[in-house]
């Protein structure tokens, strides 16, 4: 208890404060008595020392040294029996005690030091017992609110009533997650701090208070830990003093109950997330028997199958190769949870899934336009900035073309992964890559040259029996013929030859190929072979 409270107990009514009145708020944790000359090495913080000052009677300067040493070690105060061995406390000692705000108490002669110690400790223990009883009742109240299903917001309302200050529950990124409806001032301040890049650093067993200059308001912040990890903080619009035990104990009980409630919520979210990811994985793997089954399953996750979608696939840029697999996966899970929470609060309709090291965002839209793509770019850029700020890592995204409905998402997912991979091959980080449909030449470039040569040789092997000049003429004629949709007259016109010449050349091509140019598979193979010829300059 405080010095001021201790002096109010009936058995210490005859005591008299003779110095250090400014230190009446000093905390008393224990009371001890000593008359040994070597007291100073045994002093403890928040200890009230009572003494007859017997060993100081012939050394008045030693009392000044004792007071200075006790103040330096943050002792609670000094109780002296005057009128016995020391008739009065020297004026210099009183002056120093007043300057140091260190209480000096004159003890009555009629009580022994043992009685004074016993009465003081009894009062302290009684107060502590009352505090513990109050704590248990408070904890029970908060627990009942959660058990009755009234939730964390109701608990915060109750706590706000008890301590007399508005409260906001914020996560470790200073993002408000729950607040009483009665006051939005703390929320405004927290958003301002977030904008300025502010962050708290508090241990599990402490709290802090700070003041904001622009409104001269003091705020107190208590940490909340779940499973040994810092979930966030209770931000209180008001100063909570460390000496106010009942208030700090009340808030600590609230943080304990909130911690368990958050762990329960987190477990439920993990289960829901796992079920949702399983559904999407099974959908990609064609594990469902019919579109009707897909439609019914999708409804469980508020997915409208007839809506158009754009698929966005994200992946962390892995720059630290020394990170263990478990550490990397834990980091991925944490960042993906962060992304999901960010999207949950947005007004747009985005469905979130994860698959291994990939996060999948399905943007539900009506039509594709430049405005849509600009919006997606802005959204993803904002996510990249926040992830870089909070996690000191980067993430990249691949964006698919518009998918007409949910049933076509598998192709959109492949497109988004392809776009993501394309950016990765360019050694870029924190990029946003949009998928574009590749032409036939780009597709052929993705095939090993040896395989392309083998295909070309196999398809046009009959032409190796002719000389090079004749081979080029025949291949050119066949190429123009196919490009003109097999129109002989148009082919002759483009080649500046007679129609009969074209017919003759085409018949010879068929003889060399051993196949008819009217066969669709044959003409497809020839078209591809001719593109390979151009690509490889054969």
């Amino acid at each position: 208890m405080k010095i001021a409270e201790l002096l109010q107990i009936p058995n210490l009514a005859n005591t008299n404060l003779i110095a250090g009145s400014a230190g009446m708020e000093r905390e008393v944790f224990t009371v001890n008595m000593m008359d040994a000359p070597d007291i100073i090495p045994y002093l403890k913080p928040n200890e009230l020392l009572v003494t007859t000052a017997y060993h100081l009677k012939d050394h008045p300067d030693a009392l000044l040294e004792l007071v200075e040493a006790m103040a330096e070690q943050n002792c609670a105060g000094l109780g002296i029996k005057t009128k016995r061995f020391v008739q009065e406390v020297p004026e210099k000692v009183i002056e120093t005690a007043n300057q140091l705000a260190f209480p000096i108490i004159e003890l009555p002669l009629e009580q022994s030091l043992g009685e004074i110690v016993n009465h003081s400790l009894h009062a302290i223990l009684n107060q502590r017992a009352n505090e513990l009883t109050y704590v248990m009742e408070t904890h029970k109240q908060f627990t009942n609110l959660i058990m009755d299903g009234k939730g964390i917001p109701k608990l915060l309302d109750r706590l706000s009533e008890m301590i007399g200050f508005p409260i906001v529950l914020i996560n470790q990124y200073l993002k408000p997650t729950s607040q009483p409806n009665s006051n939005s001032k703390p929320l405004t301040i927290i958003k301002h701090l977030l904008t300025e890049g502010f962050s708290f650093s508090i241990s599990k067993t402490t709290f802090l208070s700070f003041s904001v200059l622009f409104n001269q308001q003091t705020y107190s912040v208590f940490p909340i830990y779940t499973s040994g990890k810092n979930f966030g903080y209770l931000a209180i619009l008001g100063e909570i003093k460390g000496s106010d035990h009942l208030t700090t104990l009340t808030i600590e009980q609230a943080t304990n109950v909130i911690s368990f409630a958050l762990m329960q919520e987190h477990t439920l979210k993990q289960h829901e997330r796992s079920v949702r990811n399983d559904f999407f994985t099974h959908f990609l793997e064609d594990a469902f028997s019919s579109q009707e089954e897909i439609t019914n399953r999708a409804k469980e996750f508020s997915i409208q199958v007839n809506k158009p979608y754009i698929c966005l696939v994200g992946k962390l840029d892995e720059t630290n190769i020394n990170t263990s697999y478990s550490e990397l996966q834990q980091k991925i899970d944490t960042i993906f949870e962060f992304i999901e929470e960010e999207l949950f609060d947005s007004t747009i309709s985005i469905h979130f899934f994860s698959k291994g090291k990939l996060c999948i965002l399905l943007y539900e839209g009506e039509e594709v336009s430049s405005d849509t793509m600009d919006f997606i770019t802005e959204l993803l850029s904002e996510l990249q900035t926040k992830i870089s700020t909070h996690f000191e890592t980067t993430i990249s995204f691949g964006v698919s073309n518009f998918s007409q409905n949910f049933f076509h998402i598998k192709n959109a997912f492949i497109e988004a992964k392809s776009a993501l991979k394309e950016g990765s091959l360019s050694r870029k980080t924190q990029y946003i890559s949009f998928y574009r449909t590749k032409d036939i030449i780009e597709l052929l470039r993705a095939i090993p040259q040896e395989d392309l040569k083998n295909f070309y040789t196999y398809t046009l092997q009959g032409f190796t029996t002719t000389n090079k000049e004749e081979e080029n003429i025949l291949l050119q004629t066949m190429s123009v013929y196919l490009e003109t949709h097999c129109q002989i007259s148009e082919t002759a016109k483009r080649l500046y030859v007679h129609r009969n010449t074209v017919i003759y050349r085409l018949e010879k091509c068929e003889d060399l190929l051993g196949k008819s140019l009217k066969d669709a598979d044959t003409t497809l193979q020839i078209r591809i072979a001719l593109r390979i010829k151009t690509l490889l300059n054969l």
Side-chain angles (χ1 to χ4, degrees):
M1 56 176 28
K2 300 173 184 177
I3 288 286
E5 295 171 332
L6 189 65
L7 297 182
Q8 295 300 315
I9 64 176
N11 291 313
L12 296 181
N14 294 327
T15 58
N16 181 35
L17 183 73
I18 60 175
S21 59
M24 294 287 279
E25 294 296 309
R26 284 178 179 260
E27 293 282 341
V28 182
F29 289 178
T30 184
V31 183
N32 201 356
M33 59 179 176
M34 280 189 184
D35 272 327
D38 56 346
I39 293 176
I40 293 177
Y42 300 98
L43 296 173
K44 297 178 181 178
N46 301 103
E47 181 177 69
L48 174 63
L49 179 67
V50 295
T51 179
T52 62
Y54 174 77
H55 65 286
L56 301 173
K57 63 179 182 177
D58 299 322
H59 305 282
D61 292 339
L63 181 57
L64 178 62
E65 181 184 354
L66 176 62
V67 168
E68 291 175 340
M70 293 186 71
E72 183 179 352
Q73 297 194 40
N74 198 31
C75 293
L78 176 64
I80 302 177
K81 272 200 173 187
T82 58
K83 309 297 188 295
R84 188 174 181 188
F85 299 109
V86 176
Q87 292 302 311
E88 60 182 18
V89 177
E91 189 62 32
K92 180 62 175 177
V93 174
I94 293 178
E95 182 181 336
T96 301
N98 286 330
Q99 291 174 352
L100 298 174
F102 182 77
I104 297 179
I105 304 165
E106 188 177 36
L107 303 177
L109 288 173
E110 61 270 17
Q111 286 182 305
S112 69
L113 293 183
E115 290 176 323
I116 293 173
V117 170
N118 288 336
H119 292 321
S120 300
L121 291 177
H122 181 72
I124 293 173
L125 291 175
N126 279 344
Q127 178 167 299
R128 182 52 57 89
N130 292 334
E131 287 179 353
L132 292 176
T133 301
Y134 175 80
V135 165
M136 292 177 65
E137 288 297 323
T138 302
H139 190 278
K140 184 177 179 180
Q141 285 185 46
F142 292 150
T143 302
N144 287 340
L145 287 174
I146 298 299
M147 297 298 290
D148 292 341
K150 295 181 180 178
I152 293 176
K154 192 65 178 178
L155 187 154
L156 295 180
D157 280 331
R158 177 65 182 131
L159 177 62
S160 181
E161 293 173 4
M162 296 174 73
I163 67 175
F165 294 123
I167 303 171
V168 180
L169 175 62
I170 56 178
N171 64 18
Q172 65 267 46
Y173 315 113
L174 304 191
K175 180 179 178 182
T177 61
S178 184
Q179 68 174 113
N181 297 324
S182 58
N183 197 306
S184 61
K185 288 183 180 179
L187 180 60
T188 304
I189 300 302
I190 295 302
K191 286 183 177 179
H192 177 75
L193 292 175
L194 182 61
T195 303
E196 296 297 322
F198 191 80
S199 63
F200 300 120
S201 179
I202 317 174
S203 69
K204 187 176 181 180
T205 57
T206 61
F207 72 96
L208 65 82
S209 294
F210 64 94
S211 296
V212 179
L213 292 177
F214 77 87
N215 66 353
Q216 301 297 311
Q217 176 65 55
T218 300
Y219 299 85
S220 299
V221 179
F222 285 74
I224 296 177
Y225 283 78
T226 58
S227 301
K229 298 179 182 178
N230 182 11
F231 167 82
Y233 312 91
L234 277 185
I236 301 170
L237 196 156
E239 182 180 5
I240 305 299
K241 296 182 179 179
S243 59
D244 189 349
H245 288 301
L246 284 181
T247 300
T248 55
L249 286 172
T250 299
I251 298 172
E252 287 171 1
Q253 298 318 300
T255 60
N256 289 337
V257 175
I258 290 172
S259 175
F260 285 110
L262 290 173
M263 283 192 288
Q264 183 184 33
E265 286 184 8
H266 186 258
T267 301
L268 291 174
K269 285 182 180 179
Q270 281 188 317
H271 175 71
E272 293 173 0
R273 190 177 295 116
S274 177
V275 172
R276 188 169 66 247
N277 291 336
D278 284 345
F279 157 75
F280 191 71
T281 300
H282 290 159
F283 168 74
L284 293 178
E285 295 175 352
D286 295 324
F288 296 113
S289 59
S290 64
Q291 287 192 353
E292 182 180 0
E293 183 181 3
I294 294 173
T295 301
N296 292 333
R297 299 296 185 193
K299 285 181 181 178
E300 298 178 28
F301 308 102
S302 302
I303 296 175
Q304 302 182 60
V305 295
N306 294 323
K307 287 278 189 178
Y309 291 92
I310 295 177
C311 183
L312 322 171
V313 173
K315 184 180 181 183
L316 297 186
D317 300 319
E318 299 173 22
T319 54
N320 187 359
I321 60 175
N322 296 320
T323 304
S324 68
Y325 178 82
S326 59
E327 290 175 336
L328 177 60
Q329 194 59 50
Q330 185 177 14
K331 185 176 184 179
I332 290 173
D333 292 342
T334 301
I335 294 176
F336 285 0
E337 287 178 13
F338 172 80
I339 294 175
E340 186 175 3
E341 291 294 331
E342 287 291 313
L343 296 175
F344 178 79
D345 290 339
S346 65
T347 57
I348 57 177
S349 181
I350 291 186
H351 304 279
F352 183 90
F353 305 92
S354 62
K355 189 175 188 294
K357 296 181 179 180
L358 302 177
C359 66
I360 302 102
L361 287 64
L362 299 185
Y363 170 76
E364 183 180 313
E366 295 297 334
E367 59 181 0
V368 63
S369 66
S370 58
D371 290 341
T372 303
M373 293 308 177
D374 289 344
F375 172 78
I376 289 176
T377 301
E378 183 179 350
L379 172 69
L380 297 181
S381 297
E382 187 176 342
L383 283 175
Q384 288 176 327
T385 300
K386 290 181 178 179
I387 290 170
S388 176
T389 300
H390 293 305
F391 301 99
E392 297 182 349
T393 191
T394 57
I395 187 171
S396 298
F397 290 94
V399 183
S400 75
N401 288 323
F402 225 75
S403 177
Q404 293 301 316
N405 54 54
F406 182 75
F407 300 113
H408 296 156
I409 286 296
K410 184 176 181 180
N411 290 334
F413 176 63
I414 294 173
E415 290 177 355
K417 284 202 304 180
S418 177
L420 183 64
K421 184 177 181 181
E422 185 175 337
S424 176
L425 293 175
S426 302
R427 302 286 184 181
K428 295 188 291 186
T429 59
Q430 199 164 325
Y431 59 85
I432 301 172
S433 178
F434 288 84
Y435 179 81
R436 62 184 182 87
T437 304
K438 294 180 174 62
D439 59 24
I440 185 66
I441 293 297
E442 287 182 293
L443 292 174
L444 292 175
R445 284 198 180 102
I447 301 174
Q449 287 193 10
E450 191 63 31
D451 292 339
L452 293 177
K453 289 180 180 178
N454 291 338
F455 181 87
Y456 174 84
T457 302
Y458 171 78
T459 303
L460 302 176
Q461 58 186 334
F463 289 85
T464 58
T465 60
T466 63
N467 60 54
K468 194 66 176 176
E469 182 181 358
E470 184 180 11
E471 177 185 352
N472 290 334
I473 292 174
L474 293 176
L475 291 178
Q476 181 189 28
T477 302
M478 190 164 53
S479 175
V480 175
Y481 174 70
L482 295 175
E483 287 178 3
T484 58
H485 305 289
C486 302
Q487 298 293 320
I488 293 177
S489 298
E490 181 64 24
T491 302
K493 182 180 178 181
R494 292 191 182 186
L495 293 175
Y496 302 103
V497 297
H498 194 272
R499 186 174 186 275
N500 290 338
T501 301
V502 173
I503 294 174
Y504 169 77
R505 291 177 181 177
L506 294 177
E507 288 177 348
K508 188 164 186 179
C509 287
E510 289 181 330
D511 289 340
L512 294 173
L513 291 169
K515 298 177 182 179
S516 172
L517 291 176
K518 295 179 180 179
D519 180 69
D521 290 339
T522 299
T523 55
L524 176 61
Q525 286 182 325
I526 293 171
R527 284 174 180 272
I528 294 174
L530 292 174
R531 292 295 183 95
I532 293 174
K533 175 179 172 64
T534 302
L535 176 65
L536 300 182
N537 196 24
L538 298 174

